[in-house]
Amino acid sequence: MNASEEMHDVVDERDRVVGRAPRGEVYARGLVHRCVFVRVRDAEGRFFVHRRTAGKLLFPSMYDPFVGGVVAAGESYDDAALREAEEELGVSGLPRPEFVLKFLYDSGGVAGKWWSAVYEVRCDLPVRPQAEEVAWHAFLTPDELRERLLDDGPGAWEWVPDGLAAHDRLVAHLDR
């Protein structure tokens, strides 16, 4: 099945299901839907970072400090977080990601709004990222990630805006 044909729950601004639609229609009409963001650390405390493939429907070829994606129709946030993390990392037997926070992200007209559930998980398994989703990946130390996120000079990485929003909210939440 083509990614744009995958069915997703359409929700209201209070995260209540109000219908279902294919992903392509959800994006084209800017319908509110659900996504998960999973921050992955390895045994050394480094963060998994990747560059999205050029064929992605949203934010192609941009860097992302999370793995994750859209929650399928009828799927829970928790199940989607585990499924997406295992798929994108190319692993099986990952511990269930731990929920941290949820917020409504507004893409500013790019593809509407989506409820964003943010999770964390530790992955001690060797990763083999999914080629359809991940063009490049690395585990960065906290300092390396911070430097990359703050770099706005020539050659700076272009980050997915929803991932940046999730990162900023996660850091603020953890700093409390």
Side-chain angles (χ1 to χ4, degrees):
M1 173 188 307
N2 182 316
S4 66
E5 298 170 348
E6 293 173 358
M7 292 300 290
H8 300 292
D9 287 331
V10 176
V11 298
D12 64 17
E13 294 205 10
R14 294 173 72 187
D15 199 18
R16 295 177 300 199
V17 176
V18 296
R20 286 193 174 160
R23 182 189 301 219
E25 182 180 341
V26 166
Y27 289 167
R29 293 181 47 205
L31 302 173
V32 182
H33 56 287
R34 295 171 168 165
C35 292
V36 293
F37 296 79
V38 183
R39 183 166 77 166
V40 180
R41 284 187 175 206
D42 67 5
E44 297 174 37
R46 299 175 302 173
F47 298 104
F48 181 86
V49 175
H50 71 283
R51 185 167 183 244
R52 295 162 60 90
T53 57
K56 297 292 287 178
L57 289 173
L58 279 183
F59 313 129
S61 301
M62 296 175 90
Y63 289 88
D64 199 335
F66 294 91
V67 296
V70 180
V71 178
E75 186 176 36
S76 71
Y77 283 110
D78 289 351
D79 289 344
L82 180 59
R83 175 184 55 77
E84 286 284 353
E86 286 189 336
E87 284 177 6
E88 286 191 33
L89 295 170
V91 301
S92 293
L94 193 65
R96 185 166 284 279
E98 294 182 27
F99 174 80
V100 181
L101 63 95
K102 185 171 79 167
F103 68 99
L104 182 60
Y105 176 77
D106 186 340
S107 72
V110 173
K113 298 177 182 179
W114 45 92
W115 279 100
S116 304
V118 181
Y119 291 78
E120 291 189 304
V121 72
R122 179 172 154 169
C123 179
D124 294 336
L125 304 165
V127 299
R128 292 174 299 287
Q130 186 179 32
E132 300 81 26
E133 303 277 338
V134 177
W136 170 91
H137 75 281
F139 279 94
L140 302 181
T141 67
D143 287 340
E144 290 169 333
L145 178 59
R146 193 175 339 4
E147 287 173 23
R148 282 293 181 185
L149 289 167
L150 296 174
D151 184 7
D152 61 357
W157 290 0
E158 189 174 10
W159 294 92
V160 295
D162 59 346
L164 283 179
H167 172 78
D168 291 347
R169 287 176 185 259
L170 177 60
V171 169
H173 176 82
L174 296 176
D175 283 348
R176 283 188 219 154

